[in-house]
Amino acid sequence: MSASKPTKGKTPAKAPATDKKAASGKAASGKESKATAAKKAALKGTRQHGLRKVRNSVSFHRPKTLRLSRQPKYPRKSITHAPRMDQFRTIISPLNTESAMKKIEDNNTLVFIVDLKANKLQIKDAVKKLYNVSALSVNTLIRPDGKKKAYVRLTPDHDALDVANKIGVI
């Protein structure tokens, strides 16, 4: 009753042999649709309607990113440098001209030729270390021959004449 009788408007049921072909056909059409989707994505790109950042300035500033501190494998210098301006380099020689002698006697001031790069604090420290006297003030000038001269006024508890004698200026 079921196989030989045609029904109105209905197609007959397919045989089990054709069912295997349909299953393989679906797999093929699935691969084709994936391939076409990949082709479309490659041509158009995957991000079509991404929003652009609004730029409020005409100049571009590079964004601040993470900056890690360096972690070297070995130190670039094996030992640290010795002090570049020690007391022996700072004070070159005492000055023993007539005007320098007058300064020693009248103003309790010693006069030295010092390194051109030495500043007043370095000169003050060098005098303290070399001659064991404390300086009240230091005045400097650069002579026309290009050397730096320093006037070191000593505190009242030290006498410049005694220090000059000890140095060997007088």
Side-chain angles (χ1 to χ4, degrees):
M1 162 176 154
S2 64
S4 61
K5 213 179 190 183
T7 55
K8 244 185 182 178
K10 290 186 180 176
T11 56
K14 292 186 181 175
T18 57
D19 201 21
K20 285 183 183 177
K21 288 181 184 175
S24 65
K26 280 185 181 175
S29 67
K31 284 182 183 176
E32 285 177 20
S33 65
K34 268 190 177 178
T36 54
K39 179 183 174 187
K40 185 179 176 185
L43 289 173
K44 284 190 172 181
T46 55
R47 293 187 173 203
Q48 281 298 314
H49 298 290
L51 293 175
R52 280 201 174 166
K53 181 177 189 268
V54 177
R55 301 264 176 209
N56 297 323
S57 173
V58 292
S59 56
F60 175 76
H61 297 289
R62 190 177 52 79
K64 300 281 187 277
T65 57
L66 177 68
R67 291 185 183 175
L68 298 171
S69 61
R70 291 187 176 190
Q71 296 173 339
K73 303 287 185 223
Y74 63 93
R76 294 298 185 256
K77 288 186 175 181
S78 59
I79 55 168
T80 56
H81 198 280
R84 287 174 169 80
M85 189 66 70
D86 62 343
Q87 68 265 22
F88 302 109
R89 184 180 164 190
T90 302
I91 294 179
I92 295 171
S93 65
L95 207 61
N96 58 356
T97 58
E98 280 184 36
S99 61
M101 291 301 146
K102 192 167 179 5
K103 289 272 186 193
I104 289 171
E105 293 165 2
D106 297 345
N107 299 339
N108 201 30
T109 303
L110 294 170
V111 185
F112 296 101
I113 299 293
V114 295
D115 192 281
L116 199 61
K117 293 177 183 170
N119 59 32
K120 292 181 180 185
L121 286 174
Q122 289 169 335
I123 295 167
K124 199 173 189 177
D125 290 341
V127 168
K128 188 175 183 90
K129 286 178 183 174
L130 288 174
Y131 308 119
N132 299 321
V133 292
S134 55
L136 188 69
S137 66
V138 176
N139 291 335
T140 58
L141 63 88
I142 296 177
R143 303 191 317 182
D145 64 350
K147 295 179 180 177
K148 188 182 258 191
K149 185 175 11 175
Y151 295 99
V152 181
R153 185 164 188 183
L154 303 180
T155 54
D157 56 320
H158 298 289
D159 188 30
L161 206 55
D162 294 338
V163 177
N165 258 334
K166 193 168 79 174
I167 295 171
V169 175
I170 299 175

